[in-house]
Amino acid sequence: MRHTEFWARLEHALGGAYAHHWADQFVIADLGSRTAGQALRDGVPPKQVWAAVWRALELPASER
């Protein structure tokens, strides 16, 4: 997964205006108590970050 696909999925799930704010504010334990934005900046692969976001938001399996 590329960063662009990660952001497109997050924007689809949360809306374009809120997705980036949420990614920089919501701390996810599965990412080492980092936000999704911080994990991406730290070099965590987008696919791994998306999996943690998917679990945190309890999104349907179709959005995995």
Side-chain angles (χ1 to χ4, degrees), residues 3 7 20 23-24 34-44 49:
H3 285 255
W7 289 112
H20 290 269
D24 283 331
R34 294 179 285 191
T35 66
Q38 185 62 51
L40 290 170
R41 288 188 292 276
D42 288 347
V44 178
V49 176

Side-chain angles (χ1 to χ4, degrees), residues 7-58:
W7 289 112
R9 287 183 183 201
L10 192 59
E11 289 172 3
H12 175 76
L14 298 176
Y18 186 58
H20 290 269
H21 175 74
W22 184 91
D24 283 331
Q25 297 296 316
F26 190 83
V27 175
I28 302 173
D30 288 352
L31 296 174
S33 296
R34 294 179 285 191
T35 66
Q38 185 62 51
L40 290 170
R41 288 188 292 276
D42 288 347
V44 178
K47 186 174 183 177
Q48 184 178 338
V49 176
W50 177 253
V53 167
W54 178 83
R55 286 189 297 275
L57 292 176
E58 299 178 352

